[in-house]
Amino acid sequence: MASLPTLSTMSLPFSLTATFRSLSLTASTRSFSTTRITQKTKQLPDYIPPYPYGPNYIYKQSNSGLYGGTMIQFGNKISKGRNEGKTRRFWKPNVRRKKLWSEALGEHLYIKVTRKALRTIWKSGGLDNYLLDDRPGRVKELGMFGWELRWRVMQTPKIQEQFRHERQRLGLPEPPSFEEWMKQKEAELQAKVEEDTNIKEITKPTYNEKLY
């Protein structure tokens, strides 16, 4: 009587094809990317003066709104249990998208602003007064976005008229126009080039005069 096949014999594959059937030579591909998108640093247009403090490379999100100098803060979460353990955590700025009125531009602006900057705007008496403050601390907390918005506000006819009255009150002369300023700079540059290329004075012979 033929004996029945054992379990070990039945579990073995019948061919090499069945052996490698469950193996895959191709690597599994992900349907999503695990790399984070790098944020581009905001750059000002060429016609706007450069920002004296430069863009924020640490917290690049602050270059696209009025953040008032706030950044992500890091610290510890202290548990109240028996061990009083510490867990690292972070606090993001309270950023909201608000509609603010600009009297100089005559329109509402939708701006990303933090709660800290919004309180300062209210205390200053409006968005225009907040942007036109020339104190170093205020200019530093404006950021790239605030600096560009400040330049737009300063170019409006209303603010230009306000500056003209202040110059008259202080007895200051009127600044030259852009065309006059360009002509003055070109004349200065031409005079400097002529002075540098004047070889007559450089190649003028010198004589040694002996004093007896």
Side-chain angles (χ1 to χ4, degrees):
M1 182 176 179
S3 61
L4 296 175
T6 59
L7 182 62
S8 60
T9 307
M10 294 178 61
S11 61
L12 293 176
F14 296 98
S15 63
L16 293 177
T17 305
T19 305
F20 296 99
R21 185 176 298 169
S22 60
L23 299 179
S24 177
L25 299 179
T26 59
S28 60
T29 58
R30 293 177 178 267
S31 59
F32 60 92
S33 177
T34 57
T35 58
R36 300 183 62 182
I37 300 176
T38 305
Q39 295 183 1
K40 295 183 179 180
T41 306
K42 180 179 177 60
Q43 300 294 336
L44 294 175
D46 297 335
Y47 55 85
I48 297 180
Y51 183 51
Y53 297 97
N56 191 346
Y57 292 101
I58 300 176
Y59 190 44
K60 297 182 180 180
Q61 183 180 348
S62 62
N63 296 324
S64 60
L66 298 177
Y67 281 60
T70 57
M71 298 178 61
I72 298 179
Q73 297 182 1
F74 299 89
N76 296 324
K77 177 183 177 182
I78 310 298
S79 60
K80 298 182 180 180
R82 181 179 59 183
N83 297 328
E84 296 183 357
K86 296 181 180 180
T87 305
R88 294 294 294 175
R89 61 158 298 181
F90 59 90
W91 293 267
K92 291 184 178 180
N94 186 8
V95 183
R96 294 292 182 268
R97 191 175 181 86
K98 292 291 185 179
K99 182 174 70 172
L100 302 176
W101 170 256
S102 174
E103 296 182 359
L105 299 175
E107 59 179 344
H108 285 94
L109 302 176
Y110 290 88
I111 303 174
K112 290 194 301 182
V113 58
T114 59
R115 186 67 181 177
K116 174 185 176 182
L118 191 60
R119 288 198 304 266
T120 310
I121 291 174
W122 290 341
K123 292 179 181 179
S124 301
L127 180 62
D128 297 339
N129 295 335
Y130 173 79
L131 295 173
L132 295 177
D133 195 347
D134 57 352
R135 290 178 294 180
R138 178 62 52 80
V139 174
K140 188 174 183 179
E141 73 177 26
L142 286 179
M144 298 285 288
F145 180 84
W147 181 259
E148 182 178 358
L149 189 59
R150 171 191 172 98
W151 184 86
R152 287 179 53 192
V153 170
M154 293 178 66
Q155 301 306 313
T156 56
K158 182 177 181 180
I159 301 301
Q160 291 291 333
E161 185 69 17
Q162 179 181 346
F163 289 163
R164 188 177 65 84
H165 287 301
E166 290 182 0
R167 286 193 296 267
Q168 291 179 356
R169 181 174 58 86
L170 298 175
L172 299 176
E174 291 290 334
S177 61
F178 182 75
E179 291 77 10
E180 296 175 354
W181 181 80
M182 286 296 296
K183 291 180 180 179
Q184 181 181 358
K185 288 298 180 181
E186 289 178 358
E188 293 178 359
L189 183 61
Q190 185 67 22
K192 185 177 181 181
V193 170
E194 292 179 357
E195 182 181 357
D196 295 340
T197 57
N198 188 10
I199 62 175
K200 292 184 178 180
E201 295 294 334
I202 301 176
T203 59
K204 183 178 180 180
T206 58
Y207 301 97
N208 294 328
E209 297 181 358
K210 295 183 179 180
L211 299 178
Y212 297 97

